[in-house]
Amino acid sequence: MNTEIARRVIDAGSTIPKRMTGVVLVGHGGFDKIEYRDDLPVPELAGEEVLIRVAAAGINNTDINTRIGWYSKGVKSGTGAGASEGCETSRNADASWSGTPMTFPRIQGADCCGHIVAVGNGVDPTRIGERVIVRNMLRSYVDYRPMECWTFGSECDGAFAQYAKAPSRETYKVECDWSDVDLASIPCAYSTAEGMLHRAGVGTGDHVVITGASGGVGSAAIQLAKRRGATVTAIVGLSKADQVRGFGADRVVPRGESLVGHLGRDGVDVVIDVTAGPSFPELLDILKRGGRYAVAGAIAGPIVELDVRTLYLKDLSFFGCTFQDDVVFENLVSYIERGEIRPLVGRSYPLKNIIEAQQEFLSKGFSGKLVLTLPE
């Protein structure tokens, strides 16, 4: 770290170390590809970047998907199939979400909450000390080209370490009374959910069906859809029905039961889907003519049966949702600061227990988000 940047520290009496503790992914595969280390170099800042002392970092499906190589087109199963050992049919050449080879070792972690402790050239030094979250879909590194982005913790190092760097313009100060763990639950899950609702144009009076409703994205989507004035039906395991009602769901359909049997045909305005898999055909059956289907995950399986006649005869609109318009993350920050949404954290773990945390994540025995806390 150059001397100009090193002088810009949060406390004039403190220094930024050269080494830090963190977790690195050393390749695609099982839990054996995760290494907890205390000798990682602290990130060097370029111009227009900030250095963040990470306080907490959420766990997301994308962490698991990337580790096991699930994004590769060679994988046909749901995300649970190779979650512990990796996916045997994965190909390294296309095993990242962007379809390009991963660079290892990589510090994962798309969700970051922490404090700015140093700034690069061109960044206002008064930003030092701000409590911030980082937009997980970064556009600065691709020069804001349309429909392009990097994922924090995938194409660049992320938040599973004591320090992380990020573009200043995509690092957002948040003023609220939430804990660091609460704020770390927001970036990936809530921006994914808000991006889907934004893309599908969800508004007052819409009937929205949300799959995977007890998970991070699903539970966020319930809150955010209700905030937009929609009526929400949540699809979830029966044991979690009361929990998702607590998140704001108006109605619950137990996972595995017939959606048409519960909701009838042609009555739903929007489907927000993160599961895909065998239930996909019924998701289209329940949509009304002119209905909208938005998808940002396939935890139950990426290969689905599509009757194209259903798509065109019902004039349905399909939205694949990865890239996010700038307004999506900006809106989330405003919702937090105005008290319009609340965090839904299931449990937190110290970073050193990341494998245990991922095992619980994969068990799906919790609701909301799991968050890792960083060592002081």
Side-chain angles (χ1 to χ4, degrees), residues 194 224 227 331-341:
E194 179 71 4
L224 293 166
R227 185 201 160 274
N331 282 345
L332 286 179
V333 173
S334 71
Y335 301 161
I336 296 168
E337 294 187 332
R338 294 198 300 264
E340 295 178 358
I341 58 175

Side-chain angles (χ1 to χ4, degrees), residues 268-338:
V268 171
D269 298 284
V270 180
V271 167
I272 299 296
D273 189 20
V274 296
T275 63
S279 67
F280 176 82
E282 274 205 308
L283 294 175
L284 305 192
D285 288 338
I286 62 175
L287 281 170
K288 63 176 54 173
R289 294 183 182 278
R292 292 101 75 195
Y293 169 86
V295 62
I299 60 175
I303 308 303
V304 299
E305 180 181 309
L306 170 62
D307 187 331
V308 174
R309 293 167 296 187
T310 303
L311 171 60
Y312 76 81
L313 291 174
K314 292 179 68 173
D315 287 291
L316 302 179
S317 296
F318 279 19
F319 301 94
C321 301
T322 294
F323 175 85
Q324 298 165 6
D325 292 328
D326 294 349
V327 70
V328 167
F329 207 85
E330 294 162 3
N331 282 345
L332 286 179
V333 173
S334 71
Y335 301 161
I336 296 168
E337 294 187 332
R338 294 198 300 264

Side-chain angles (χ1 to χ4, degrees), residues 242-258:
D242 288 341
Q243 290 173 312
V244 299
R245 288 191 182 97
F247 300 160
D250 299 287
R251 181 173 181 175
V252 174
V253 174
R255 185 177 63 246
E257 295 188 11
S258 170

Side-chain angles (χ1 to χ4, degrees), residues 180-264:
D180 294 334
V181 167
D182 289 340
L183 275 178
S185 72
I186 294 296
C188 186
Y190 279 72
S191 69
T192 299
E194 179 71 4
M196 296 168 80
L197 297 167
H198 173 76
R199 193 77 67 84
V202 171
T204 301
D206 279 337
H207 180 189
V208 178
V209 168
I210 298 172
T211 69
S214 65
V217 176
S219 59
I222 292 172
Q223 277 199 75
L224 293 166
K226 293 298 294 180
R227 185 201 160 274
R228 289 168 173 256
T231 297
V232 171
T233 295
I235 302 173
V236 70
L238 192 57
S239 65
K240 299 176 183 176
D242 288 341
Q243 290 173 312
V244 299
R245 288 191 182 97
F247 300 160
D250 299 287
R251 181 173 181 175
V252 174
V253 174
R255 185 177 63 246
E257 295 188 11
S258 170
L259 298 179
V260 172
H262 280 275
L263 302 175

Side-chain angles (χ1 to χ4, degrees), residues 14-345:
S14 67
T15 58
I16 297 170
K18 294 182 181 297
R19 299 289 169 180
M20 65 180 180
T21 297
V23 170
V24 292
L25 183 69
V26 297
H28 296 297
F31 292 125
D32 60 310
K33 299 298 184 181
I34 296 174
E35 294 184 1
Y36 183 79
R37 293 171 49 183
D38 60 6
D39 62 347
L40 300 175
V42 171
E44 294 276 345
L45 295 184
E48 307 299 333
E49 291 180 331
V50 297
L51 185 68
I52 302 162
R53 179 64 165 84
V54 181
I59 292 178
N60 295 282
N61 271 308
T62 191
D63 305 323
I64 313 296
N65 296 346
T66 298
R67 172 173 61 78
I68 66 177
W70 180 83
Y71 291 114
S72 171
K73 293 297 178 63
V75 179
K76 310 298 182 184
S77 60
T79 55
S84 297
E85 303 82 16
C87 297
E88 291 184 2
T89 57
S90 176
R91 301 181 296 251
N92 288 342
D94 68 343
S96 73
W97 75 269
S98 62
T100 56
M102 284 282 292
T103 301
F104 300 106
R106 173 65 68 220
I107 298 171
Q108 292 187 283
D111 286 335
C112 179
C113 173
H115 290 81
I116 295 177
V117 295
V119 297
N121 297 328
V123 180
D124 185 345
T126 63
R127 294 212 64 186
I128 293 173
E130 291 179 358
R131 188 168 69 147
V132 296
I133 57 177
V134 177
R135 179 160 68 181
N136 53 295
M137 305 302 285
L138 299 171
R139 301 191 62 204
S140 295
Y141 296 135
V142 294
D143 297 324
Y144 278 73
R145 292 188 294 271
M147 304 305 291
E148 290 190 39
C149 53
W150 282 9
T151 295
F152 194 57
S154 179
E155 284 65 49
C156 61
D157 285 340
F160 290 169
Q162 288 178 300
Y163 293 90
K165 71 174 184 177
S168 175
R169 68 192 298 182
E170 299 185 274
T171 302
Y172 291 77
K173 179 182 179 182
V174 185
E175 296 182 329
C176 67
D177 61 0
W178 293 14
S179 70
D180 294 334
V181 167
D182 289 340
L183 275 178
S185 72
I186 294 296
C188 186
Y190 279 72
S191 69
T192 299
E194 179 71 4
M196 296 168 80
L197 297 167
H198 173 76
R199 193 77 67 84
V202 171
T204 301
D206 279 337
H207 180 189
V208 178
V209 168
I210 298 172
T211 69
S214 65
V217 176
S219 59
I222 292 172
Q223 277 199 75
L224 293 166
K226 293 298 294 180
R227 185 201 160 274
R228 289 168 173 256
T231 297
V232 171
T233 295
I235 302 173
V236 70
L238 192 57
S239 65
K240 299 176 183 176
D242 288 341
Q243 290 173 312
V244 299
R245 288 191 182 97
F247 300 160
D250 299 287
R251 181 173 181 175
V252 174
V253 174
R255 185 177 63 246
E257 295 188 11
S258 170
L259 298 179
V260 172
H262 280 275
L263 302 175
R265 296 179 182 272
D266 306 329
V268 171
D269 298 284
V270 180
V271 167
I272 299 296
D273 189 20
V274 296
T275 63
S279 67
F280 176 82
E282 274 205 308
L283 294 175
L284 305 192
D285 288 338
I286 62 175
L287 281 170
K288 63 176 54 173
R289 294 183 182 278
R292 292 101 75 195
Y293 169 86
V295 62
I299 60 175
I303 308 303
V304 299
E305 180 181 309
L306 170 62
D307 187 331
V308 174
R309 293 167 296 187
T310 303
L311 171 60
Y312 76 81
L313 291 174
K314 292 179 68 173
D315 287 291
L316 302 179
S317 296
F318 279 19
F319 301 94
C321 301
T322 294
F323 175 85
Q324 298 165 6
D325 292 328
D326 294 349
V327 70
V328 167
F329 207 85
E330 294 162 3
N331 282 345
L332 286 179
V333 173
S334 71
Y335 301 161
I336 296 168
E337 294 187 332
R338 294 198 300 264
E340 295 178 358
I341 58 175
R342 61 189 174 94
L344 299 170
V345 177

